[in-house]
Structure formats: C-alpha cells, structure tokens
Amino acid sequence: MNSVPANRRLWNRISSAYQHAHDPQIGASPRLWGMYSVPDAHLGALGDVAGKRVLELGCGAGQWSRSLAAEGAGVVGIDLSEAQLAAAAAAMGEDRYPLVQGAAEQLPFADFSFDLVFCDFGGLSWAPPHRAVPEAARVLRPGGRLVFNVASPWFEACYDEPAGRVSTTLRQDYFGLSAIGEGDGATSYQLTYGDWVRVLRGAGLVIDDLVEPRPEIGTPNGYNETDPPDWAHRWPAELLWVTHKA
Ligand SMILES: C[S@@+](CC[C@H](N)C(=O)[O-])C[C@H]1O[C@@H](n2cnc3c(N)ncnc32)[C@H](O)[C@@H]1O
C-alpha cells in the first residue's frame, strides 16, 4: 500500500492548525519526547550529537532538528509535507540546517550518510515500518544509531474510537495492529512488539534498549484524552527504541 500521497495531503491540510495547537508544547524546550514531553535528559536515549551527521525522519516544524543544530549536529530534516517544511523553515534559528522533501519509505540519500537517524512520532509512525526501517538502516554508517519514539501497542489497543479517548479496556485486536486509517486514505502504522523486533533485526539493527517513557502523575497528554488521566503513569503509552547498525 502506498500511503505517501494521502499522508502528504493530510499533513499539508492540517499543518497550520497542528502547529498552532502543538508547537508551544513540542518546542517548549530542547529534546522533549512524545505526547507527554518527557525530557531526553531523563531518558538519555539520543546521546551526544555534536559533530554528528543526523537525519530527522519526518521532522515536521523541526523543533527537534533546530535544537540539535544548535548543539552542533550536522542535521538534515526530511518530511513529506511542504506545509510542514515551510513551518520548519520559518522557525529555523541561527543554526541553519537543510530541509528536504521526501518519504521515509524511499530516502534520497546515499548509503552510510548518517551517524544518527531519529524521529519522534515522525516517519516511523507514518510510513510502513517494513519499508522505512530498512531505509533508515541503509543510510546509517556501521555503528550508527536509529532512535525513534512511537505509540505503544497498549495505547493503540486501548483506544476507544467512538469516545475519542484511551481507556482501560482492550478495544482493538493486538494481532490486528498494522495500518491505522487516519481519514481520506491517510495512514499511520503500528506493529506488535514481536514484529518491531523482527523488522529491526531484519534490517541489520541491534536493539540496545526499549525505553518506555513514564510521565509523572499530572503530566498532561498534549494530544489525546485518557481515562484515567494518569493512564500513562500506569501503562506504557510510548515505545522509544534505541538501536544501532551492526
Ligand atoms: C507528528 S509529526 C512529527 C514531527 C514532530 N516530531 C512532531 O511531533 O510534530 C509527523 C510528521 O511526519 C510527516 N510524515 C508523514 N508521512 C511521512 C513519510 N512517509 N515520510 C516522511 N515524513 C512523513 C508529516 O508530514 C509530519 O510532519
């Protein structure tokens, strides 16, 4: 299935409203992961990036890329949506970095181009992982790292579609998790734990860690309602994979 055209249309259509709603949270300070803005300083997932060649896969308005460029990384931001890339260009700081339009499924970069490929609910949430993970691995140099944050299967399986919130009841089949319709053909993706392991290992990646960010009680979810409100303090809402290329 090719979800590139529909995902591009979706993100071009929602970019302005999305940035209006979420940029203040995503960009509040450097290196905040996910729906609960858990600081990387608490998780230690990304590591030192100074002097490294870094690719953000599905960079959106570039809140992460901007921070890493300021830390001295040679960052490239890639995104499918020209509206999202325009938001990134408009928000770029003094430390300029290149923005490229393209899809995580077919990266326009040579093999071994990067020391670190990463994203936070970016290309590995919005492109089929069995295509995007091998592409990310291809552009990494041996020893380079792929680090990415996605929704957890728990979160997806407990999502109560009619109520529009995450609940404590299993609503979706765990073994049915793969493509999630986002309207008008747009699609996001999720895998079971076992399928993530197989896709990562199949691409020649070594799994160093699976961090499960745990927000403090009272930390708001900037994107979804949950019932109970402290859902993500009790169950893992996100998976932060830390891997490297063998
Ligand atoms: C939720 S944003 C992630 C960016 C940022 N971390 C954030 O949280 O806003 C998802 C981004 O993925 C981009 N995207 C969607 N499908 C993509 C694909 N196949 N390849 C690359 N980027 C894609 C969208 O245009 C959007 O900017």
Side-chain angles (χ1 to χ4, degrees):
M1 177 166 105
N2 179 7
S3 52
V4 167
N7 283 359
R8 182 176 161 210
R9 277 196 302 275
L10 172 76
W11 280 97
N12 279 339
R13 180 163 49 77
I14 68 172
S15 172
S16 167
Y18 177 89
Q19 295 306 334
H20 183 72
H22 300 297
D23 176 67
Q25 176 190 345
I26 309 169
S29 58
R31 293 186 177 225
L32 299 176
W33 287 111
M35 299 182 281
Y36 293 87
S37 295
V38 178
D40 188 55
H42 297 177
L43 304 175
L46 212 63
D48 182 17
V49 297
K52 301 237 164 81
R53 299 167 299 164
V54 178
L55 176 66
E56 183 174 6
L57 213 48
C59 62
Q63 293 90 349
W64 268 95
S65 286
R66 196 167 67 225
S67 303
L68 301 191
E71 290 177 36
V75 190
V76 177
I78 187 167
D79 202 286
L80 204 53
S81 151
E82 51 269 36
Q84 290 283 79
L85 290 169
M92 203 172 283
E94 274 175 20
D95 300 288
R96 317 292 295 173
Y97 62 93
L99 293 166
V100 175
Q101 186 168 22
E105 290 91 331
Q106 196 172 13
L107 294 173
F109 305 109
D111 299 358
F112 318 128
S113 297
F114 296 98
D115 303 304
L116 170 68
V117 176
F118 83 101
C119 60
D120 188 17
F121 282 83
L124 288 170
S125 299
W126 289 91
H130 74 274
R131 294 190 58 199
V133 168
E135 271 297 272
R138 177 182 68 75
V139 301
L140 278 174
R141 62 150 172 91
R145 303 168 75 228
L146 173 64
V147 178
F148 63 98
N149 191 31
V150 296
S152 78
W154 292 67
F155 197 80
E156 302 287 4
C158 291
Y159 191 75
D160 181 346
E161 194 73 55
R165 64 170 176 258
V166 179
S167 69
T168 53
T169 306
L170 294 172
R171 306 273 172 181
Q172 268 70 245
D173 285 359
Y174 173 79
F175 288 113
L177 291 174
S178 61
I180 300 167
E182 303 283 354
D184 294 331
T187 309
S188 65
Y189 296 87
Q190 180 54 272
L191 300 180
T192 64
Y193 286 90
D195 282 344
W196 275 120
V197 169
R198 280 181 285 278
V199 165
L200 291 165
R201 294 189 63 195
L205 295 163
V206 176
I207 297 168
D208 297 312
D209 202 354
L210 173 54
V211 181
E212 295 166 298
R214 187 182 187 199
E216 296 299 328
I217 290 176
T219 309
N221 181 321
Y223 294 80
N224 294 282
E225 262 186 61
T226 65
D227 179 18
D230 67 349
W231 194 99
H233 188 74
R234 302 169 68 181
W235 299 283
E238 298 174 354
L239 305 182
L240 178 46
W241 292 97
V242 180
T243 74
H244 75 270
K245 182 168 171 175

